[in-house]
Amino acid sequence: MPKLHIRTEINGEPAEFLAEPHQTLLDALRNELGLTGTKEGCGTGDCGACSVTFDGQLVCSCLVLAAEAEGARIGTVEGLASGEALHPLQQKFLEHAALQCGVCTPGFLVAAKALLDRNPDPDERTVRYALAGNLCRCTGYDKIIRAVLDAAAELRGEPA
Amino acid sequence: MTQPRSFRYVGTRPIRQDGAEKVTGRANFGADLSFPGMLWGRVLRSPHAHAKVVSIDTSAASEIPGVKAIVTSADLPEQRPGGDPTDMYDLTRNILAREKVLYEGHPIAAVAATSREIADRAVAAIQVEYELLEPVLDLDRAIAPDAPILHAELRCAGSDPKPEGPTNVASRILIERGDVERAFADADVVIEREFTTPTVHQGYIEPFACVARTTEDGQSTLWCCTQGPFTVRSLCAALLRIETSKIKVIPSEIGGGFGGKTTVYQEPLALLLSRKSGRAVKMVMTRQEVFRATGPASASRIRVKLGAKRDGTLTAAEASLAYEAGAFKGSPVVAGAMAMFAMYDLPSVRIEGFDVVTNKPKVNAYRAPGAPMATFASESVVDELAASLEMDPIEFRLKNAVRQGSVAVYGPKLKAVGLVECLEALRDSEHYRTPLSENQGRGIACGFWFNGNMQSSAQIHVNEDGTATVVSGCPDIGGSRASLALMAAEELGIPVEQIRPIVADTETIGYNDGTGGSRVTYATGTAVIEAARDIVLQLRQRAAAFWDTQLENVGYEDGKAIPLGDAAENQQPLPLSTLARRAARMGGPIVGRSTWTARGNGPSFAAHLVDVEVDPETGRVEVLRYTAAQDAGKAIHPSYVEGQYQGGAVQGIGWALNEAYFYDAEGHLQNASFLDYRMPVASDLPMIDTIVVEVPNPNHPYGVRGVGETSIVPPLAAVANAVQAATGIRFVDLPMSPPAVLAAIDRTRG
Amino acid sequence: MHDTRYEAPRSIEEAVIMLSSGSVDDVRVLAGGTDLLVQMTSGGRSPSLIINLKHIPELTRIRFDDSGALYLGAAANAFTIGQNERIRQQFPGLHEAVGLIGSDQIQGRASVGGNLCNASPAADTIPSLLTSKAVCHIAGPGGATRTLPVSEFILGPGRNALQAGELLVELELPAPAAHSADAYQRLIPRSEMDIAVVGVSVRVTVDNTGTCTDASVALGAVAPTPILVPEAAAALVGTRLEPADLERAAAAASAACRPLDDKRGTAEYRRRVAGVLTKRVAAEAAERARGR
């Protein structure tokens, strides 16, 4: 079976790659495209470390076939920062020490951005449920939740 | 010892130096490195929990196009038994099974092929003939007289009289002091209970991953996610019986470890495969493999008996601990025994411990190894004693808490410790006074962990513009680069932003024991402080030579060499940046170094307070509020200290409520996934409030205590005590999952 | 291991032709992918053909007809359904069930059609489909179509009534009667991310005196398939849904369970909690129905 030629858009830029029909998008991002910011923690959709957006929809890239990316828009952690400036979520994660080992961080950032894009003013409970698909074993989530709430406030233009 | 009265940088919260890389996805973790032409390694694992390996046939697998190397135990040299701290005879058998497979997931062979799919196909093509044996899956079965024996050569160490026959009990230990019988006779109240806890896993999010590459001269490089790159190097050198200088280990960023990444699994296999194939070989475990075949934490059965006088004074403690080691001896039962009563001034103690092998993966360290389960038992009984004496649980603990001068149950006379301060902080907290509603309960428990010692070395390089690089050899698992940079900034008197802390490979820095035992900020931190002081001395020497004066006429303050005495009259201070710029003319590059073996003890104590609500109809327990108070000695970077308290508390909550390995009768793990191994998710939890107590550790220049591990010790009992308060039921078996809680509620309802 | 082919048909006709091209076991459709990809990566063998249904407009469509009946495309994802305000208003219990499927990430992929076709005993949406009397619209070879009630669509754990070459196109949920409402709750050890240990859907219709005129109760994870419990429904009909009435329904629900002991819960626990949740969910549905 020849590989599939996939044309897609990743973080706003056109991208092409070859994929096996059974290959996951996560595998293609990491091993075909060298975008290793998206992490694999379980491969079964249970940890959220591989979170990306697919046509604007938050998904686990381990549960998406690479072939599905044909004609789609993919967003990964590598696309969050613009030029030299970190996204406010990234900045707040750093300020609040919301990462310890940091391996879950890309997935949390992508998921948190998806939340804030549709709900700019979530309360703590909403943030906790929206991020329930992202496992963190280091922080106990406290500082992550604070960072997301703080980033939301900043994005709304409220004084800290 | 020059202890600064106040700190300029220590105690502030700068952004970690590795932060930008980690929030942008650039940081390289274990699985993130690849090479052109790289092979993928996969492991054949036993589907059986206990069986003899009759034969292994790799011929069909080796015929598959794309397969470049296959290894079995025949490729690893035999080792001599009895090594310390690592028994290499056992370790080589854990890396690749020899005579027997001892747990489901036990590696039997490894394959390197041009793709992961081909490697998987080759693994499936290896033929193994097994002779099935009855698996030993719990402590009861392991010690039964007719139990199947895992290791025919195993004899119980420390048993009296000397054992004759083979056994599954690898060792017996005893800690004894005072006259326990008499002390119990003096007690007004004695409570005795037996507890059990299940096998649990560290649950780090990053699976084990490594890449090995070997050149034709036999020189190997290994990139891997590990807590101890030097440990990996020495274990691999011993397993492969090659010289240490033939292996360079480059630690990647590490996605969590909690003690679990302190040994080797696939690393020696990747090395072997790369040596055999001449190609780079990458190996990444699946989550299932992580659960089935990397060291979890011991299941345990613990009996505790405690006596107290009517006024609340503890008189005596007795305990018997049995810990599952998994397939090979070496559970942390000794540490559990030492830690379980360490919070209390107890004149008479007798603790017996047993290390028991079972057909499960060999256990490995998990955050304060051995202590959480033992303290679950001891702190549950302490709570019950307080209640039976109608004493407030905090006051009861305060009455018996260790203080400076107390002789710890585990041996030494304690210097300043902060348990009393932690308990007082909780007693005086708003949390402790807040009223509770129906079906809610509040629990408290204390915990202790040692302060890690062992070997550290560090270097600091001053750059030509006066900025500096701090080089250490302990992987940064939770912000230790930031802490080390802060300590260097404090000594050198330059802003922390001008310091770049790096974690070096095993050829770039002297030997360092691993990141573990709560030792990095304490032990490696001291090494960094000493390396910085080495630089300060050199700067003063250079200034003295420049000013043509004696060394004692040169001080150092705020990043400047300061003229003192005679020199002060006609010399201006020389900033570090100036000395750095003139290095070529003043003695050459400025490099500070230090090396030491940390000793002494500066333990960190904690007390945790938790409110829960129990649904009496479903048995679900919800954590409503949590406050963790712990002695940090001195918090170098307070955010990361708080983070350790919060993370440990939540791991403990998981252990208390829902985490457990679930085996079927044949020893197959039924829940080897994050779906069914239920670690807490964000929506399970409230904020975790922290109280950072600072009682300086006399053994550290700044008073630092290791804080990483103590925080997982109290939560098991704290949650159980809260559930008891909510339901009136004392839970002695973990986890307190909804079915277990509802069944207990039903039993008491009759 | 053999090679896998991937196709993304644009029409039902194309998809049905592809489905007919191989044995049922060897051809797998990808509606959400949350189960299929896990099966493929967790050691299962790869199918010879994967048919991605997400490019077929009828399969991702969500619409209401003039009667108020809801038509859910079989591959419409849970997240999109969750964002649909009219579904939340009209089928609050189904909306709750869809919202409980996995994480936001999983919901971005998972489909109600896939949830139904996989026929897991613990599937969150099936009890709600049962109490809403949902009907499956199925396309087959040669332009054939047929309909089948959800209650007849599920044959056993992991088994559904689709024949070779057949495709589940959409689910039709009839417009609820006036003063009718549904609710769904499940018991999981954590607050999110678990598979249901017990799931309960209840739909009740009340008259303007508050008396229950019609009821339906369905349970998940307590038997080889999700089950309707007519005895529990009967205990509610004709009552004013007072606590004692709910208790009778709860007892009937518990009695109908044929649960297993497994890693997710004991049989006894499932039986007990099926009753507890039936009581709670019926109360919730009643309150909603009275408010209409």
Side-chain angles (χ1 to χ4, degrees), chain C:
Chain C
M1 191 189 274
H2 47 71
D3 289 326
T4 303
R5 218 153 41 89
Y6 167 86
E7 298 287 356
R10 302 272 159 177
S11 71
I12 293 172
E13 295 70 28
E14 256 187 279
V16 166
I17 291 168
M18 290 170 186
L19 269 171
S20 311
S21 67
S23 75
V24 177
D25 287 344
D26 231 19
V27 179
R28 296 295 305 269
V29 299
L30 185 143
T34 54
D35 287 309
L36 177 62
L37 267 79
V38 172
Q39 289 160 14
M40 282 166 56
T41 52
S42 299
R45 73 206 166 83
S46 294
S48 61
L49 173 61
I50 299 168
I51 305 173
N52 178 5
L53 303 178
K54 293 174 202 246
H55 296 287
I56 304 173
E58 293 90 332
L59 270 90
T60 54
R61 189 170 59 184
I62 299 169
R63 66 189 171 101
F64 286 87
D65 71 8
D66 294 343
S67 76
L70 166 64
Y71 291 81
L72 279 179
N77 72 55
F79 194 89
T80 308
I81 296 169
Q83 300 294 103
N84 188 305
E85 187 56 23
R86 190 163 169 197
I87 294 178
R88 195 180 71 79
Q89 295 279 339
Q90 202 163 316
F91 296 94
L94 175 71
H95 188 267
E96 283 164 337
V98 168
L100 288 170
I101 297 175
S103 57
D104 282 8
Q105 286 90 332
I106 299 290
Q107 288 183 26
R109 300 284 293 166
S111 63
V112 174
N115 204 224
L116 179 61
C117 286
N118 276 308
S120 158
D124 279 309
T125 60
I126 299 179
S128 298
L129 295 175
L130 287 169
T131 57
S132 292
K133 300 186 169 56
V135 173
C136 303
H137 289 252
I138 297 164
T145 62
R146 62 171 177 138
T147 59
L148 202 60
V150 164
S151 55
E152 293 169 32
F153 184 80
I154 298 163
L155 303 180
R159 288 197 305 124
N160 64 51
L162 290 179
Q163 307 279 323
E166 281 192 328
L167 179 68
L168 177 66
V169 175
E170 60 187 354
L171 291 156
E172 177 192 348
L173 283 75
H179 308 297
S180 170
D182 67 339
Y184 177 79
Q185 289 181 27
R186 64 175 185 178
L187 190 292
I188 54 173
R190 293 183 289 190
S191 56
E192 275 277 355
M193 299 306 289
D194 293 333
I195 303 292
V197 178
V198 179
V200 177
S201 169
V202 177
R203 171 173 290 282
V204 295
T205 308
V206 296
D207 63 17
N208 41 25
T209 69
T211 300
C212 177
T213 57
D214 190 21
S216 181
V217 176
L219 309 178
V222 297
T225 65
I227 51 168
L228 279 164
V229 187
E231 301 82 2
L236 298 174
V237 174
T239 75
R240 296 180 59 82
L241 303 171
E242 301 289 343
D245 308 319
L246 304 185
E247 288 293 349
R248 272 191 295 279
S254 288
C257 294
R258 286 170 288 140
L260 289 176
D261 272 322
D262 72 5
K263 60 193 170 189
R264 290 172 185 150
T266 60
E268 176 51 28
Y269 183 73
R270 290 187 151 111
R271 199 173 286 119
R272 280 287 310 279
V273 172
V276 171
L277 290 190
T278 297
K279 186 177 67 179
R280 292 180 181 180
V281 177
E284 178 71 33
E287 173 147 344
R288 286 176 185 165
R290 288 190 192 108
R292 293 186 170 209

Side-chain angles (χ1 to χ4, degrees), chain B residues 4-26:
Chain B
R5 273 191 299 274
S6 63
F7 294 99
R8 181 158 178 187
Y9 301 107
V10 162
T12 63
R13 301 175 186 241
I15 285 176
R16 60 195 287 170
Q17 293 80 359
D18 54 329
E21 290 219 319
K22 285 184 175 157
V23 297
T24 55
R26 288 189 185 89

Side-chain angles (χ1 to χ4, degrees), chain B residues 579-697:
Chain B
L579 290 162
R581 205 165 51 241
R582 297 182 190 166
R585 282 169 282 143
M586 297 179 74
I590 305 165
V591 176
R593 59 174 287 281
S594 87
T595 171
W596 76 308
T597 302
R599 289 209 177 74
N601 66 85
S604 177
F605 288 90
H608 287 195
L609 189 61
V610 58
D611 297 350
V612 303
E613 180 163 331
V614 180
D615 182 334
E617 290 186 316
T618 66
R620 268 193 95 245
V621 177
E622 189 181 351
V623 177
L624 303 174
R625 186 167 183 186
Y626 205 103
T627 305
Q630 186 179 329
D631 179 14
K634 175 68 198 171
I636 301 297
H637 192 307
S639 297
Y640 290 104
V641 171
E642 294 160 2
Q644 291 296 321
Y645 296 4
Q646 292 164 335
V650 168
Q651 283 185 316
I653 289 169
W655 201 332
L657 293 181
N658 281 310
E659 291 181 34
Y661 269 31
F662 191 95
Y663 281 97
D664 70 9
E666 284 77 46
H668 303 126
L669 185 61
Q670 297 296 291
N671 60 336
S673 71
F674 279 145
L675 180 65
D676 285 309
Y677 183 84
R678 301 185 193 93
M679 304 188 335
V681 299
S683 49
D684 292 341
L685 298 160
M687 292 297 186
I688 307 294
D689 296 330
T690 57
I691 299 173
V692 179
V693 169
E694 293 185 312
V695 175
N697 173 7

Side-chain angles (χ1 to χ4, degrees), chain B residues 561-586:
Chain B
I562 309 288
L564 305 171
D566 298 346
E569 290 171 21
N570 42 23
Q571 301 296 351
Q572 294 302 310
L574 269 171
L576 179 147
S577 56
T578 306
L579 290 162
R581 205 165 51 241
R582 297 182 190 166
R585 282 169 282 143
M586 297 179 74

